[in-house]
Amino acid sequence: MVEPGVSTRSPRYRWVRDIPRRSLALDIVIAGLFFLMLLLVDAGSPATVLVLVVLTAALAVRRFSPALALTLAWLAASVQMLAGEPVLGGDVAILAVLYVTAAYAGPATRRAGLISVGVGALVAGVYLAVAQRGVGHLGTALAQGDIGALVWSTAMLSIVSVAVLGLSWTLGLLTRSRRNARDSRFTQYRAVEEQRAAQREVVVEQERNRIARDMHDVVAHSLAVVIAQADGARYARAQNPEAVDEALTTISTTAREALGDVRILLARLREDVVTGPQPVLADLDRLVEQMRGTGLDIEWTTTGAPAILGSGAQLAVYRIVQEALTNALRHGDTGRGVTLRLDWTADWVAVTIDNALRFPVTPATAAGTGHGLPGMRERALLAGGALTAEPLGGYFRVAAHLPAITVNAAVLPARAPGVRA
């Protein structure tokens, strides 16, 4: 893993960082303005101008190459001390260089910056202590005597220097730590999101695989009925022509039901073994009464004339209602009622369940990683319909839209007491 702030270039160019061109251009412009301003403040001998030029160069490349900037800063400081120049306003650039060595540079340059803080503070302390005596060399200062005062002055100035230089380096290190923590949180967030997506894919894939157990039974039974009806109609065509129409009707109905059952992939998805008949629309009454027995207040409304649904579609409606009511009981505000609506048309049935939320949720949180919502979506999708499940204000709505087989009337499930038509 590449450490943040370290260039991904080959080892030959490790001293150079990859930064946007506009960032480098901005640094150069800032350094140019810095140089022009310092010419007005620190203009003096050619040595002063040379020092300012080198410090400006260090300031310009500090983010592009912290190692080069640190080298230029040491070069400028050395020229400044050899020339006997006083403290210049341009020395502020040294603080900026130390900051970037800790904030953006690699381990070697970062350690070099820390060493520079200690060594630079000591050198600056000695230089300033000697300069205070009005001499240009340490030997001359020692020859003046009063070595104790010189040592004391050097120590105090070194402490001040290390505080100033160390503060810049420490601020850079704190910036680096904060950036690394932010990157770590972002990486962790992406990992969690990828894990959730993978879990949802696993849930869907498991449910798709389990339907293979039901494929043989559905297709084999339906094809056997179709073949038997077709053979019977062919043999009885001469003696009883009316039997042909009746057989064709049976074949059509059976084929439509088989098509619906094959598409849903969710018939008995999580039952390892089918031990008995599966729920149909007529069983909704019993389901609603069971949920009411838990204390859930359910208002059930049915509108329109019901149409014929295949067995798989009926199972899908039952399971969607069952899962939605169970979620309302587990996660919703049971102190407020749940609304269940079945809206019939000639070709479709719309199922809507609204329940009050106990706590506010977001769509991302509502997606979850369990079997419930993915299972409901698969049931609706593979029955030829669609399903949405999302929070709306203070409520959570599950809405499914499933197709019917024909426009003929079907048996309406017996409504529980208090249900309005």
Side-chain angles (χ1 to χ4, degrees):
M1 179 178 179
V2 180
E3 184 178 357
V6 180
S7 173
T8 56
R9 298 172 183 262
S10 63
R12 181 180 177 183
Y13 301 102
R14 281 286 174 87
W15 52 276
V16 175
R17 293 180 63 246
D18 291 319
I19 64 173
R21 290 185 178 180
R22 65 168 176 262
S23 298
L24 179 59
L26 179 62
D27 289 344
I28 294 175
V29 170
I30 293 175
L33 296 176
F34 177 77
F35 178 74
L36 294 177
M37 182 182 66
L38 291 179
L39 283 181
L40 300 176
V41 178
D42 295 328
S45 65
T48 300
V49 176
L50 177 60
V51 170
L52 294 180
V53 169
V54 178
L55 288 175
T56 300
L59 188 66
V61 301
R62 68 189 188 280
R63 288 196 294 175
F64 176 68
S65 178
L68 177 60
L70 183 62
T71 302
L72 291 175
W74 268 108
L75 177 62
S78 299
V79 172
Q80 181 179 353
M81 288 185 291
L82 290 175
E85 295 291 332
V87 177
L88 302 174
D91 292 333
V92 175
I94 297 177
L95 303 181
V97 171
L98 290 174
Y99 173 87
V100 297
T101 58
Y104 302 109
T109 304
R110 188 163 65 249
R111 287 193 295 269
L114 179 60
I115 294 173
S116 297
V117 169
V119 175
L122 179 60
V123 172
V126 173
Y127 178 76
L128 294 176
V130 171
Q132 281 182 344
R133 292 175 172 262
V135 297
H137 301 285
L138 179 60
T140 305
L142 293 174
Q144 293 179 348
D146 198 3
I147 298 178
L150 178 63
V151 172
W152 173 256
S153 178
T154 299
M156 295 305 299
L157 290 172
S158 297
I159 292 174
V160 173
S161 298
V162 79
V164 174
L165 299 177
L167 178 62
S168 299
W169 189 89
T170 302
L171 288 176
L173 188 63
L174 290 176
T175 300
R176 184 189 200 92
S177 300
R178 184 176 63 180
R179 185 177 65 250
N180 290 344
R182 182 190 61 201
D183 294 342
S184 177
R185 288 194 300 269
F186 179 72
T187 302
Q188 183 179 8
Y189 171 78
R190 290 188 58 183
V192 171
E193 290 300 314
E194 291 175 358
Q195 182 181 18
R196 289 178 177 174
Q199 288 176 343
R200 287 193 288 268
E201 291 178 2
V202 168
V203 169
V204 173
E205 188 63 25
Q206 287 177 344
E207 301 201 356
R208 288 182 182 275
N209 290 336
R210 290 191 179 189
I211 193 58
R213 302 176 183 177
D214 300 318
M215 284 294 187
H216 177 269
D217 293 339
V218 172
V219 175
H221 169 74
S222 301
L223 289 180
V225 172
V226 169
I227 292 171
Q229 291 292 329
D231 288 343
R234 182 163 56 86
Y235 292 133
R237 180 175 52 187
Q239 290 79 16
N240 187 6
E242 296 180 357
V244 176
D245 292 337
E246 183 178 346
L248 291 176
T249 300
T250 303
I251 289 174
S252 175
T253 302
T254 303
R256 290 176 187 271
E257 291 182 357
L259 179 61
D261 289 340
V262 168
R263 291 175 61 193
I264 60 173
L265 296 186
L266 46 77
R268 307 173 298 276
L269 271 175
R270 286 187 290 275
E271 288 80 7
D272 292 334
V273 180
V274 178
T275 57
Q278 296 303 303
V280 293
L281 287 178
D283 295 316
L284 284 179
D285 297 291
R286 178 173 52 84
L287 172 63
V288 171
E289 287 302 315
Q290 288 177 346
M291 299 306 293
R292 283 176 175 165
T294 64
L296 198 62
D297 183 16
I298 303 173
E299 181 182 2
W300 180 9
T301 304
T302 302
T303 61
I308 294 178
L309 296 180
S311 59
Q314 293 189 48
L315 177 61
V317 172
Y318 182 91
R319 294 303 188 196
I320 289 172
V321 173
Q322 183 184 46
E323 182 69 23
L325 294 180
T326 301
N327 286 340
L329 180 64
R330 294 174 57 192
H331 308 296
D333 185 357
T334 56
R336 291 187 283 177
V338 178
T339 301
L340 168 62
R341 288 180 57 88
L342 269 67
D343 298 312
W344 293 87
T345 65
D347 302 312
W348 294 87
V349 59
V351 183
T352 307
I353 304 98
D354 291 323
N355 69 273
L357 291 171
R358 188 182 309 166
F359 304 107
V361 297
T362 62
T365 304
T369 58
H371 291 265
L373 295 183
M376 288 194 292
R377 289 192 179 96
E378 282 296 298
R379 291 180 187 277
L381 177 64
L382 297 170
L387 181 140
T388 59
E390 58 185 354
L392 296 174
Y395 287 80
F396 192 88
R397 169 168 292 183
V398 175
H401 201 229
L402 303 172
I405 295 178
T406 68
V407 296
N408 296 331
V411 176
L412 177 68
R415 294 194 297 271
V419 174
R420 299 193 304 270

